[in-house]
Amino acid sequence: MRLLLLRHAKSDWGGDDLMDIDRPLNSRGKAAAMKMGRYLQQNGLLPNQIMCSTSQRTRETLSRVLQFLPQEAQIHLISDLYRQGEDDYAPLIRRYGGRAQNLMVIGHNPATEDTALSLTGTAAPEALADLEEKYPTAALAVLDFDIADWSELSPKTGHLERFVKPRDLKDEPD
């Protein structure tokens, strides 16, 4: 089974009266989300189930990524991904992931980074070094597991297959 951990794209900090959950993507974030959606499509990283935080910035990231996914995916907007943004997402993945072969989680840091690090048992060396350095906005960790159901997920059992940041990808016209 494959887990795609996507941190939301760069958000706009403008507007003092705006609550954190309501912050939208800024122009750089919109472009990065599109770039990551294109990358997912071109590399066959196609989720059949998506768990997405209910924040504005994660939902906007999702809407841009969806434009590049040629297949249907079951989408679950989960408020706990926002509320537990300081905690590891593994319990939520176990609870909601079911038997999805390719599960994508669109969430927040530090939880996205903590989840990737806590689940990684083996890794492509360059991917792990990159992940340990920083998990920037719109970055994607791809982890593979030898399990039949996400309820079986446990620490250090995944293989970090790759870690991709928008700035590492070639710019293409939209």
Side-chain angles (χ1 to χ4, degrees):
M1 297 177 87
R2 176 164 276 178
L3 178 63
L4 308 167
L5 288 170
L6 181 64
R7 183 177 175 199
H8 67 78
K10 188 81 173 158
S11 60
D12 187 353
W13 283 90
D16 294 335
D17 58 338
L18 203 58
M19 293 180 62
D20 180 73
I21 196 167
D22 296 324
R23 287 191 294 117
L25 296 182
N26 65 18
S27 58
R28 191 174 114 205
K30 291 173 184 176
M34 298 289 282
K35 188 184 283 192
M36 293 309 288
R38 187 177 297 108
Y39 176 84
L40 290 165
Q41 179 189 51
Q42 291 171 347
N43 288 274
L45 298 171
L46 307 175
N48 54 329
Q49 183 172 321
I50 300 170
M51 295 168 46
C52 182
S53 163
T54 53
S55 76
Q56 182 68 26
R57 59 194 177 273
T58 51
R59 289 182 292 123
E60 286 186 27
T61 299
L62 170 64
S63 76
R64 281 161 178 79
V65 166
L66 282 177
Q67 297 174 49
F68 294 93
L69 302 183
Q71 66 185 39
E72 287 188 21
Q74 197 173 46
I75 298 170
H76 301 278
L77 296 176
I78 300 172
S79 59
D80 282 346
L81 289 170
Y82 177 77
R83 287 195 297 265
Q84 295 180 3
E86 299 292 320
D87 299 324
D88 184 313
Y89 288 146
L92 296 173
I93 294 167
R94 280 192 286 274
R95 182 174 175 192
Y96 295 107
R99 299 182 65 85
Q101 289 299 304
N102 294 295
L103 175 64
M104 175 180 275
V105 176
I106 303 175
H108 307 270
N109 249 12
T112 303
E113 179 176 357
D114 291 347
T115 302
L117 290 170
S118 73
L119 294 176
T120 297
T122 61
E126 65 283 352
L128 185 58
D130 218 11
L131 172 63
E132 289 174 333
E133 182 181 322
K134 185 178 181 183
Y135 207 119
T137 53
L140 173 73
V142 179
L143 293 111
D144 293 325
F145 297 87
D146 187 17
I147 56 176
D149 191 284
W150 289 108
S151 64
E152 301 170 18
L153 187 66
S154 57
K156 304 295 180 200
T157 58
H159 174 73
L160 179 63
E161 196 265 334
R162 68 183 94 172
F163 183 65
V164 182
K165 300 173 298 229
R167 71 172 175 253
D168 296 336
L169 302 176
K170 184 178 91 170
D171 282 324
E172 294 181 28
D174 288 330

